[in-house]
Structures are given as structure tokens and as C-alpha cells.
Amino acid sequence: MRKSISFASMKKLKIQGIWREPNHQGVRGSRRMREIWLYWQATLTFAEASSSLRAMNVIRHTDKDFAERLRQLAAPSSLFDPVIEERARGIVDAVRTRGDAALVELTERFDHAKLTVEQLAVTQAEFLTASFKADDSLRAAVAAASKNIETFSRKALRKNWTSRNAHGAKVGEKFDAFQRVGIYIPGGTAPLVSTALMTITLARVAGCKEI
């Protein structure tokens, strides 16, 4: 026997053999009804917990303070602080004009690491030493990932094409790789090998001559 029970009415019911609806008719309890009761309790608990959360900030153009709230949202961010931008531009300009000498100076200033220009580039011997420190399973995993990424990247390469339009003019697209790219690989406590694979492999497949 199926009875229609609202969540509002369920609040007055108890999980037992006999269920009572507002009209006080006795209805034999069922597993489905107990499931509904438990679901209602979980929903009520979630709603009570959610009431303390911060509501979404909604702005409507019909609001009286719409202009002011929009101005606050569009206000300059600290991310674009003119002082920070000026200092960052100074660093870029220094490296552009003085090259590796500026890198050495800035590395000592910010990282407190004293290096020479000769120590900036990683040597082939250092690459080999680091490679031998990896166990066979890691090296196999890196090799497999590199192969998969290269295969995918080759299939994703944009291809040049040309055609003639209705007026007989030659149209098309030509894709050329960057001649030089710089790639940043995050280090710290967990060097991201995946980042190196996903960026260096892609640049190599694209045809970048200097990475």
C-alpha cells in the first residue's frame, strides 16, 4: 500500500512498525519509507550546516547600489600594484641589458645563493649523474610518458593549408614554431617531472630550435 508523505509531515513520524500521517491513518512501515526518512534527516542536517556558510555575492543591475558595488569590484587589485610592476620591469630590463651577469646578481640578492656565470647552465655530466640516481622503474615510467606525450603532440600539430576563395585569391594558414622558448619547471620540495615532460616534449615536437 503506497501513501504520499511530504518531508514536512515526515518530521512528525518515527521509524517504527507503524507510520502515522497527519490524518492519523495507520500505515505499515516499509524499507522505502525509512529510506525517505533518513534522506530527509540528512537533507535537514546539510541545510542547517549550510546556513552558516557565506552566501554567493550576487549583483543585479536593478540594485540601488549597483554602481557602487560594481566600482568596488572593478577597483585596482593588489596584483597590479604599480610599485611591484615597476620593480618587476626593472628586473626584466636588467636581465635584458646585462644578461647572465644580472642573473647572478639577482640570484644572490633574492635567493642568497652565490653563483658564477659558468654555474648557471646544467652540464651534461650533471644530467647523467641525476639520471643514474633514478631507479629503473622511474626511468621506464618517464620514458613511457614521454613517448605517449610525443605521439599525442604530433597528432595535435596544426597543419598548413591553402585554398582558393570564390574570387580566385589564394588563402590559407601557415604555422611556424617559436625559434626559442623558455620553460619554467617548478622545483622546491616536489620537482614536477610531469611539467617538464608536458612542456619540453611539446616544444620539441613543434619544432622549437632552442629550448
Side-chain angles (χ1 to χ4, degrees):
M1 180 176 174
R2 185 175 180 179
K3 304 291 288 186
S4 176
I5 302 177
S6 68
F7 282 160
S9 300
M10 291 287 284
K11 190 174 182 180
K12 300 179 181 179
L13 304 180
K14 295 181 180 180
I15 303 177
Q16 54 186 12
I18 298 295
W19 293 77
R20 295 280 179 185
E21 284 192 290
N23 59 9
H24 303 293
Q25 287 184 328
V27 181
R28 179 62 56 185
S30 68
R31 180 179 179 181
R32 175 58 180 162
M33 294 172 73
R34 279 189 285 270
E35 290 175 350
I36 294 175
W37 169 258
L38 293 174
Y39 175 80
W40 179 83
Q41 283 190 318
T43 303
L44 180 62
T45 301
F46 177 78
E48 291 174 347
S50 301
S51 63
S52 61
L53 299 177
R54 183 178 179 181
M56 181 182 294
N57 187 15
V58 179
I59 298 179
R60 296 181 175 83
H61 71 279
T62 54
D63 294 338
K64 293 182 178 180
D65 59 345
F66 172 75
E68 176 59 23
R69 296 178 69 185
L70 184 63
R71 186 193 64 77
Q72 293 175 357
L73 284 177
S77 169
S78 59
L79 294 176
F80 303 100
D81 188 301
V83 176
I84 296 176
E85 184 176 356
E86 182 181 355
R87 291 176 180 176
R89 185 178 292 109
I91 293 173
V92 174
D93 290 341
V95 175
R96 181 184 295 113
T97 56
R98 298 194 291 119
D100 290 345
L103 283 178
V104 171
E105 178 186 313
L106 293 167
T107 299
E108 183 175 2
R109 183 194 306 175
F110 296 117
D111 299 328
H112 308 292
K114 197 165 186 176
L115 302 174
T116 63
V117 173
E118 292 73 23
Q119 292 175 306
L120 291 178
V122 181
T123 64
Q124 190 65 28
E126 289 173 321
F127 275 123
L128 290 174
T129 301
S131 176
F132 289 139
K133 288 182 179 179
D135 56 38
D136 293 340
S137 61
L138 175 59
R139 295 172 68 178
V142 171
S146 178
K147 183 178 179 180
N148 289 335
I149 295 169
E150 181 173 348
T151 300
F152 183 92
S153 299
R154 291 194 183 283
K155 291 183 179 297
L157 277 177
R158 301 291 296 272
K159 296 178 175 59
N160 301 337
W161 65 271
T162 59
S163 181
R164 296 281 179 180
N165 63 16
H167 301 286
K170 186 178 180 180
V171 296
E173 289 181 302
K174 185 175 185 296
F175 300 94
D176 294 318
F178 290 111
Q179 295 299 299
R180 176 190 296 177
V181 296
I183 295 174
Y184 171 69
I185 310 299
T189 57
L192 298 180
V193 179
S194 58
T195 303
L197 288 169
M198 293 296 292
T199 53
I200 296 173
T201 306
L202 180 61
R204 188 175 65 245
V205 170
C208 298
K209 295 183 178 180
E210 185 177 351
I211 302 174

